[in-house]
């Protein structure tokens, strides 16, 4: 496939410290895509890896330069910003996102393509027989319920990154400038014909998950604050209810004092109520702080990510090298027809 010819399918794969698993991914990904019988490109985006992931990606680019492109970020920007950086480089009519850990089999890509051929412009996926530890399943279910109650985003399995997007949706996403976002939810807001399908799920064979419980909670904050003001409305309503209850309680205490007279009982109850109200106020302040923090990040207008280099077929620069990479991952001098370029967004 020439650099000028747009492929049917673009597969976007974010990579962060996946050196051990990349060879297994290559072995299964390219045969699965070749079997589709359609033109495609694979866009890897390295999100500031500290191991030899960049070197592995470069070697794969040299093996399949006609269908492989590599975007190298100058520093870790986070999975979703890395995906957005890759979206800017895609050219396909359909764009598929896939994690590099093989928990979502590449062989399932054909099912997403079939759904989009049938008219869907957004294809979400639901993992069947999910192969994750118990705490991750429980945390995901809880966060899914919270997100469903606070946003209008209808995503059954928000943790599965195997998803398909039509070019019209990708173009709309590329025009957005959010600093903190969740790609599937953002794309969902632009979809006219979203569907969901079930896909297989496998256990991670090498490496470790990059999502801790803390990062899952942070992700859900991005979902709630990026796509809804329901948390703010919730605490507004809570404040109104507590204020009304407080007035009723004060009236009750005043009447009781007139009837019973002064009494010392109930001091600890009042302390308990006071501590409860303080806790509610602090939680509400924290939610407001999440919104304010995201506004602060947005108004600074700093680049969301910096693309250190893009490896792709076409053009020639025999003296080019990948910049800003640690010495142990910096590949040797590139030769034509590879092209390396850097951008900032």
């Amino acid at each position: 496939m020439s650099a000028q010819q747009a492929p049917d399918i673009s597969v976007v794969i974010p990579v962060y410290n996946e050196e051990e698993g990349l060879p297994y991914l290559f072995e299964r990904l390219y045969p699965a895509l070749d079997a589709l019988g359609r033109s495609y490109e694979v866009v890897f985006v390295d999100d500031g890896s500290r191991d030899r992931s960049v070197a592995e990606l470069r070697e794969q680019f040299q093996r399949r330069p006609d269908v492989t492109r590599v975007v190298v970020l100058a520093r870790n920007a986070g999975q979703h910003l890395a995906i957005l950086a890759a979206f800017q480089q895609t050219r396909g009519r359909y764009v598929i996102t896939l994690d590099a850990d093989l928990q979502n089999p590449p062989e399932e890509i054909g099912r997403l393509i079939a759904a989009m051929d049938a008219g869907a412009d957004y294809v979400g996926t639901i993992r069947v027989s999910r192969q994750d530890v118990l705490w991750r399943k429980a945390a995901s279910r809880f966060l899914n319920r919270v997100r469903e109650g606070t946003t209008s985003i209808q995503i059954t399995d928000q943790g599965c990154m195997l998803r398909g997007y039509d070019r019209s949706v990708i173009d709309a996403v590329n025009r957005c400038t959010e600093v903190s976002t969740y790609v599937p939810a953002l794309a969902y807001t632009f979809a006219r014909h979203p569907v969901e399908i079930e896909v297989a799920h496998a256990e991670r064979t090498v490496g470790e998950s990059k999502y801790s419980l803390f990062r899952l909670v942070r992700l859900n904050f991005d979902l709630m604050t990026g796509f809804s003001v329901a948390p703010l409305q919730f605490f507004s309503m809570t404040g109104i209810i507590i204020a009304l209850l407080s007035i009723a309680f004060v009236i009750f205490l005043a009447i009781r004092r007139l009837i019973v007279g002064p009494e010392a009982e109930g001091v600890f109850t009042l302390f308990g109520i006071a501590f409860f109200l303080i806790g509610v106020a602090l939680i509400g302040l924290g939610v407001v702080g999440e919104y304010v923090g995201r506004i602060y990040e947005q108004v600074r207008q700093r680049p969301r990510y910096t693309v250190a280099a893009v490896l792709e077929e076409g053009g020639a620069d025999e003296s080019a090298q990948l910049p800003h990479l640690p010495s142990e991952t910096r590949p040797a001098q590139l030769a034509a027809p590879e092209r390396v370029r850097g951008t900032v967004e």
Side-chain angles (χ1 to χ4, degrees):
M1 182 185 66
S2 67
Q4 291 75 28
Q5 181 181 357
D8 286 338
I9 305 165
S10 294
V11 180
V12 169
I13 304 178
V15 175
Y16 179 64
N17 293 341
E18 295 286 355
E19 172 189 354
E20 297 179 357
L22 285 176
Y24 301 102
L25 174 65
F26 301 150
E27 288 178 5
R28 293 176 57 182
L29 175 65
Y30 287 85
L33 293 174
D34 290 336
L36 296 177
R38 303 173 71 161
S39 60
Y40 70 88
E41 66 176 357
V42 182
V43 182
F44 295 98
V45 53
D46 181 81
D47 189 22
S49 295
R50 299 178 181 177
D51 59 5
R52 296 190 67 259
S53 294
V54 175
E56 292 283 348
L57 294 174
R58 178 182 183 273
E59 291 173 5
Q60 179 60 26
F61 169 74
Q62 292 176 326
R63 286 190 290 265
R64 298 290 302 271
D66 56 325
V67 293
T68 305
R69 306 170 74 197
V70 180
V71 180
V72 182
L73 300 188
R75 62 178 181 83
N76 181 258
Q79 182 187 36
H80 292 274
L81 287 183
I83 291 174
L84 292 178
F87 278 178
Q88 294 286 349
Q89 305 293 333
T90 59
R91 300 171 294 192
R93 174 188 174 193
Y94 300 147
V95 177
I96 308 295
T97 56
L98 177 71
D99 283 335
D101 56 15
L102 285 178
Q103 287 194 278
N104 295 123
E107 294 80 7
E108 298 281 3
I109 291 177
R111 301 185 59 200
L112 278 72
I113 299 301
M116 287 190 284
D117 283 341
D121 57 358
Y122 172 100
V123 182
T125 54
I126 305 171
R127 290 170 286 190
V128 178
S129 301
R130 185 175 173 184
Q131 303 298 312
D132 276 331
V133 295
L134 182 61
W135 74 264
R136 283 186 63 88
K137 295 180 182 179
S140 293
R141 282 195 295 268
F142 171 73
L143 295 177
N144 280 348
R145 298 298 178 269
V146 172
R147 186 257 310 150
E148 290 173 357
T150 56
T151 73
S152 60
I153 306 298
Q154 301 299 315
I155 299 177
T156 302
D157 188 353
Q158 70 182 36
C160 186
M161 288 306 297
L162 176 59
R163 298 178 185 274
Y165 310 99
D166 185 79
R167 170 50 56 183
S168 60
V169 174
I170 294 297
D171 289 342
V173 169
N174 285 341
R175 290 193 291 269
C176 297
T177 59
E178 286 97 328
V179 174
S180 300
T181 192
Y182 179 69
V183 171
L186 179 61
Y188 182 90
T189 61
F190 298 113
R192 298 181 61 189
H193 304 290
V195 300
E196 289 188 331
I197 63 174
E198 293 184 343
V199 295
H201 190 248
E203 186 177 357
R204 175 186 274 268
T205 56
V206 296
E208 298 179 353
S209 173
K210 308 305 185 296
Y211 272 95
S212 62
L213 179 60
F214 176 75
R215 292 194 66 183
L216 288 174
V217 173
R218 290 291 304 169
L219 175 62
N220 216 60
F221 272 123
D222 286 339
L223 273 168
M224 289 190 298
T225 60
F227 299 93
S228 173
V229 294
L232 294 176
Q233 295 170 339
F234 170 78
F235 280 100
S236 296
M237 294 301 299
T238 301
I240 293 173
I241 293 172
I242 291 176
L244 294 175
L245 291 176
S246 298
I247 293 173
F249 188 59
V250 169
I251 295 173
F252 167 77
L253 291 178
I255 295 174
R256 182 178 177 86
R257 182 178 179 86
L258 293 175
I259 297 175
V260 179
E263 54 184 346
E265 292 83 357
V267 173
F268 292 105
T269 300
L270 292 175
F271 278 145
I273 294 174
F275 289 146
F276 169 74
L277 295 178
I278 292 172
V280 171
L282 290 176
I283 294 173
L285 182 62
V287 171
V288 173
E290 289 290 334
Y291 281 94
V292 173
R294 281 157 175 73
I295 294 172
Y296 173 65
E297 291 179 349
Q298 194 72 38
V299 299
R300 287 186 301 179
Q301 297 186 344
R302 294 181 181 178
R304 295 184 297 174
Y305 52 79
T306 300
V307 177
V310 178
L311 277 69
E312 60 184 1
E313 189 178 39
D317 186 354
E318 297 184 2
S319 63
Q321 289 183 320
L322 289 179
H324 311 305
L325 299 179
S327 57
E328 63 271 18
T329 62
R330 184 182 295 126
Q333 180 172 312
L334 301 178
E338 302 172 11
R339 181 172 62 189
V340 176
R341 51 192 174 86
T343 60
V344 175
E345 178 165 329

